[in-house]
Amino acid sequence: MPAIGTKDALTEFRENLRAAPKRILETAFRTGLPTTDRSRSTFVFGNVFLHLHSVRTHRWSLRWLTTAGLGIATLAAFLITLVTGVLLMFYYKPYPEVAYQSIKDIHFVVPTGRFIRNLHRWAANVMVVTVILHMARVFYTAAYRRPREYNWLIGIALLVVTLALSFTGYLLPWDQLAYWAITIGANIAQSPREVTDALGITEWFDPGGLQRLLLLGSDTVGEEALIRFYLLHVMLLPLVLAALLAVHFWRVRKDGGLARPDDADDILARERREETYPVFTEQPQKTYHLAAIVRGRTPAVGRGPENTVPSMPHLFYAEFGVLMLTVAVCLLLSLLWDAPLKELANPNVPENPAKAPWYFLGLQEMVSFSAFMGGIGVPTIVLIGLGLIPYLDREAEGTGRWFGGPGGWPLVRLSLLFGFAAALGVEAFAIRFGWLREWFPNIHQLAITVFNPGTVLTALYAAFSIWAMKRHNSTRAGALALFTCFLCGFTVLTVIGTYFRGPNWEFFWSPADWPGH
Amino acid sequence: MTTQVSPKRSRLDPEPMPRRDWLGLGALWAMAVSFLFATVGMMRLPKAAVLPSPSKKFRVALPETLAAGEPFVPPGRSVALFRDEEGVYAISTVCTHLGCIVKPAADGFECPCHGSRFAPDGEVRKGPAPKPLAWLKVSVSGSLVTIDEGTTVPQGTKVA
């Protein structure tokens, strides 16, 4: 017998059943619709995905000019490749010839297959572009400085993984372009032999051969290589990328949000057109240990942190905006241009010219002078140089400001001039007059490995940056010069490799001048 | 009061490193070393012991009409075969730069990928190739020539 005043179990069961949908929602989103600043905060830190953000965002971070949304655009492009990549895996078969046929099926038979593949390819391209632009933004706003040095290193690792993902994806269609790009890539991995052979020690010490063997799983590009690249492309590298991304985002928050100049609040006050944004509209219920949230010397007592707005919704709207824009750009590109698919791979006839994807053509241009220096030596120097930037430039002037620091925009302009001139000059010289092998056919290979257009350009840039450092008596000025030169060199080599190299890697003003086959 | 320095340590004296800390550190090091060994062990797996590539040796009959110094490329192989009065010889057509297949031309070989040029004997004339083209081992039995792509011989080795 139930006690008086209580419902019997059956009624309660019925009521619970009826209330279940509402309660499931309530338990999923504990706060309900966030209407106050406090519930907005709970909304963010109560959600495992959102809590990578801090609950409040400084208004400086929301200015369009601060980031141009490049980091989020990169993430958005990655998410697109993730979704479309999983879709492509429904049909793709990683076995030579079968792989080619399955890509053909995806292109011609599978419903929406062509579109999804286009989207995958374009998003991958967009990702490479935005990741480079994002790096440039962080560099030019001097946002890599203390306490964000380590996150810059993570970013460099992310750049490398992004390029590795693109490279491994390039082989999968198993067409002529893929096959020969990977043959070249695998032999670049083997190119330390250029040095060990010249020294005559390859028999005992052969790191190049080992790298190639590990990459290809065989001594030719075949089924073993394809399955390895597939594994790297769909499993290993995405996992590494996801782990690094998590650290990257987490550190953005833990390092105090985006870098901003000391007088950011003054600048915002001058720019501000409307009244103050709401600070805490009620006393915060949650108490923090002060030391945990305040980095500055004077804790804000009795008021909310100034010039911040709740991340929900202000930051999230901005992020969704960038996401939608990225999706729109990728959709448009996929509708306009199809991803290429050449004829089936033929191990006996190289594609002529055999070109890697555009972002590797700068490398390929350097490789056409020396395989080891162009493919491994100079890129390693560049990566080490980029990684060391925040540890060599420990100054404080100009943080958070575009082209901030001694030298500023005039120095960047001069560096642009020098960077383009040096790259074009060295290239023009090598194209017009050839290089050591043509002049002295019997010259020792090590001489070319050490002294070739790639290393000459690197040395010129290093010298220029030392000059800039001396002139402005500032490490930041040296960094500004070097990074700008690096961008110029990358651009010039990439453009020459893409548009001005034809059959036999000879220089042509236009593809219309290429000799017929 | 002065402190006496006693050479003998009492068991009540504080230890230089507490035993628990020492054991803990030891455990950590043991873990690190075993992870290291496990990683080295795992690295052995991707290094293939058997290379699943087609046989390096093949046999082919040279065309009767092959003129001296004229290249003969067996279909599906990256080798150029020559015959002159001194004998038969084979030059690999795999570029020593980055592994593209060079094309026999009037004055030697040319590589389509990065523009390396080689003399008829395989010496580098131009471009980024670091080494001459490899000469491969050949053996002649009657009208058939056996080529071993896996074995190189010194430049100028011709088999009658």
Side-chain angles (χ1 to χ4, degrees):
Chain A
M1 250 319 259
I4 293 163
T6 60
K7 289 173 274 187
D8 64 301
L10 205 61
T11 320
E12 197 177 331
F13 171 76
R14 238 185 284 124
E15 280 171 10
N16 284 352
L17 190 63
R18 219 177 299 140
K22 195 170 148 244
R23 290 205 175 125
I24 288 174
L25 271 180
E26 275 172 9
T27 49
F29 305 98
R30 292 211 175 97
T31 53
L33 270 184
T35 45
T36 63
D37 273 16
R38 202 179 76 217
S39 54
R40 286 193 185 111
S41 303
T42 326
F43 186 82
V44 176
F45 64 65
N47 183 304
V48 67
F49 301 108
L50 296 183
H51 90 289
L52 278 173
H53 302 86
S54 60
V55 294
R56 299 182 70 80
T57 306
H58 198 279
R59 289 184 55 232
W60 184 267
S61 306
L62 293 173
R63 291 166 91 228
W64 192 89
L65 257 180
T66 306
T67 62
L70 288 164
I72 297 294
T74 312
L75 174 69
F78 172 61
L79 292 178
I80 298 172
T81 56
L82 205 64
V83 172
T84 51
V86 169
L87 287 172
L88 290 173
M89 282 172 73
F90 275 93
Y91 287 98
Y92 178 75
K93 303 173 192 73
Y95 194 80
E97 308 216 4
V98 183
Y100 182 73
Q101 300 305 335
S102 66
I103 295 283
K104 256 191 160 172
D105 279 352
I106 289 171
H107 198 91
F108 292 109
V109 182
V110 172
T112 74
R114 180 191 302 205
F115 182 61
I116 295 291
R117 175 165 177 257
N118 290 351
L119 207 49
H120 190 70
R121 193 183 170 95
W122 277 116
N125 277 288
V126 166
M127 190 175 164
V128 172
V129 173
T130 51
V131 85
I132 292 172
L133 290 179
H134 176 57
M135 176 172 74
R137 191 286 293 174
V138 172
F139 176 82
Y140 283 121
T141 55
Y144 51 78
R145 286 172 175 165
R146 206 173 67 88
R148 299 178 181 82
E149 304 101 317
Y150 186 67
N151 220 11
W152 171 265
L153 282 183
I154 300 281
I156 300 282
L158 280 167
L159 170 72
V160 173
V161 176
T162 305
L163 292 177
L165 269 168
S166 298
F167 178 65
T168 49
Y170 209 66
L171 176 64
L172 303 187
W174 204 254
D175 62 348
Q176 271 290 71
L177 206 57
Y179 185 89
W180 289 101
I182 300 311
T183 301
I184 291 172
N187 282 299
I188 288 177
Q190 195 188 35
S191 66
R193 274 198 186 167
E194 186 181 312
V195 176
T196 53
D197 276 347
L199 297 173
I201 55 170
T202 306
E203 221 174 301
W204 306 285
F205 178 69
D206 184 19
L210 181 66
Q211 282 191 73
R212 183 170 193 261
L213 183 62
L214 283 179
L215 200 59
L216 296 187
S218 173
D219 50 358
T220 49
V221 179
E223 58 194 71
E224 296 293 321
L226 182 52
I227 199 83
R228 276 176 192 222
F229 276 64
Y230 183 65
L231 171 75
L232 285 170
H233 187 73
V234 304
M235 183 59 72
L236 274 179
L237 292 172
L239 281 179
V240 173
L241 191 81
L244 287 173
L245 274 182
V247 178
H248 199 61
F249 298 153
W250 181 243
R251 287 296 291 241
V252 170
R253 181 186 160 184
K254 287 287 133 180
D255 294 343
L258 302 182
R260 56 177 179 271
D262 290 335
D263 56 348
D265 291 339
D266 300 337
I267 300 174
L268 285 173
R270 259 179 273 131
E271 284 177 356
R272 188 177 304 179
R273 262 167 259 119
E274 74 265 53
E275 275 308 295
T276 327
Y277 268 74
V279 289
F280 286 143
T281 47
E282 52 188 304
Q283 283 297 310
Q285 261 192 351
K286 194 167 173 176
T287 55
Y288 296 93
H289 190 270
L290 261 187
I293 52 166
V294 179
R295 269 180 199 273
R297 287 190 196 84
T298 51
V301 179
R303 57 193 168 94
E306 276 185 286
N307 256 331
T308 61
V309 290
S311 297
M312 166 75 202
H314 298 280
L315 177 61
F316 299 149
Y317 278 2
E319 290 182 347
F320 272 112
V322 175
L323 172 73
M324 294 314 288
L325 189 66
T326 314
V327 172
V329 167
C330 292
L331 284 176
L332 192 69
L333 289 167
S334 319
L335 286 171
L336 290 178
W337 290 285
D338 278 349
L341 185 66
K342 298 239 173 174
E343 56 271 39
L344 180 66
N346 179 351
N348 291 308
V349 183
E351 182 81 356
N352 190 4
K355 289 197 179 187
W358 62 266
Y359 35 85
F360 286 129
L361 287 182
L363 274 187
Q364 208 175 334
E365 180 65 23
M366 283 202 296
V367 158
S368 75
F369 303 123
S370 157
F372 174 69
M373 262 305 160
I376 294 185
V378 173
T380 309
I381 294 171
V382 167
L383 281 178
I384 292 177
L386 286 177
L388 281 179
I389 284 177
Y391 298 95
L392 300 182
D393 165 31
R394 310 285 293 171
E395 293 169 13
E397 193 191 328
T399 300
R401 234 183 263 284
W402 276 92
F403 311 112
W409 170 243
L411 174 61
V412 173
R413 207 172 42 198
L414 184 66
S415 310
L416 279 173
L417 207 67
F418 178 83
F420 279 123
L424 287 171
V426 170
E427 275 286 325
F429 180 86
I431 288 166
R432 178 70 183 79
F433 299 108
W435 203 255
L436 293 169
R437 179 71 67 196
E438 281 91 321
W439 309 331
F440 317 103
N442 294 320
I443 194 169
H444 200 271
Q445 177 58 32
L446 278 184
I448 298 180
T449 304
V450 173
F451 188 73
N452 65 60
T455 54
V456 168
L457 194 59
T458 313
L460 280 176
Y461 285 167
F464 177 73
S465 116
I466 289 171
W467 171 82
M469 198 174 351
K470 267 187 170 162
R471 158 113 197 259
H472 296 275
N473 193 24
S474 149
T475 46
R476 167 69 173 166
L480 274 175
L482 194 61
F483 188 84
T484 311
C485 283
F486 154 71
L487 285 186
C488 292
F490 179 81
T491 311
V492 167
L493 294 179
T494 305
V495 167
I496 290 182
T498 309
Y499 295 108
F500 297 102
R501 291 294 188 176
N504 298 350
W505 209 248
E506 272 162 26
F507 183 85
F508 292 94
W509 283 108
S510 144
D513 303 337
W514 290 11
H517 285 285
Chain B
M1 197 181 126
T2 53
T3 358
Q4 293 276 315
V5 182
S6 145
K8 208 179 158 210
R9 271 165 37 85
S10 152
R11 69 183 174 85
L12 297 175
D13 285 341
E15 296 174 49
M17 177 186 275
R19 191 165 48 100
R20 277 162 186 254
D21 285 9
W22 190 87
L23 285 176
L25 266 184
L28 275 180
W29 275 106
M31 191 178 79
V33 170
S34 46
F35 269 126
L36 186 73
F37 269 87
T39 312
V40 172
M42 282 190 284
M43 289 297 287
R44 289 191 56 195
L45 184 136
K47 188 172 178 286
V50 178
L51 304 183
S53 53
S55 170
K56 299 274 177 210
K57 275 189 183 174
F58 66 98
R59 198 175 289 170
V60 67
L62 290 183
E64 293 295 325
T65 54
L66 192 68
E70 190 192 329
F72 170 65
V73 179
R77 294 283 170 176
S78 26
V79 175
L81 292 168
F82 298 89
R83 179 166 57 193
D84 61 15
E85 50 278 10
E86 289 168 59
V88 179
Y89 58 100
I91 296 180
S92 164
T93 54
V94 178
C95 184
T96 53
H97 179 227
L98 290 176
C100 289
I101 306 301
V102 300
K103 242 182 354 204
D107 54 345
F109 304 88
E110 57 184 33
C111 181
C113 289
H114 300 99
S116 290
R117 296 286 163 80
F118 302 88
D121 62 354
E123 280 295 338
V124 187
R125 281 283 159 79
K126 181 174 178 280
K131 284 193 302 183
L133 293 175
W135 284 51
L136 302 174
K137 190 181 169 199
V138 284
S139 44
V140 183
S141 57
S143 62
L144 286 180
V145 181
T146 309
I147 297 107
D148 182 1
E149 285 181 291
T151 314
T152 56
V153 293
Q155 202 180 90
T157 311
K158 299 179 184 179
V159 180

